[in-house]
Amino acid sequence: MNIHVRHLDEATVQALKQRAARNGRSAEAEYRAILTAAAAEDADGFDWIAASDQIRAHTIGRPQTPSEVLVRESRDER
């Protein structure tokens, strides 16, 4: 499969080429390695339950506004 990425700024392209050179790979091989690692990281899954538990622990005792109130206020501002 081929993937084309358009509109990357020159600084990003140069940084990726330098990274490839440091890793002893072609630019294309470096792009593949980056994308493969990103996909594998995402495939490992993210523990949303643990993340939400951490957020909940940090907000204990703070007043909470129901989402429907926030949505209504936002709509009324328009």
Side-chain angles (χ1 to χ4, degrees), residues 30-71:
E30 189 67 20
Y31 306 152
R32 273 196 305 272
I34 291 167
L35 292 169
T36 300
E41 182 179 299
D42 192 45
D44 290 341
F46 181 78
D47 190 348
W48 291 101
I49 302 298
S52 62
D53 288 343
Q54 288 177 341
I55 293 169
R56 190 176 299 109
H58 289 292
T59 60
I60 288 177
R62 295 184 186 173
Q64 304 292 320
T65 305
S67 60
E68 62 272 14
V69 172
L70 297 173
V71 169

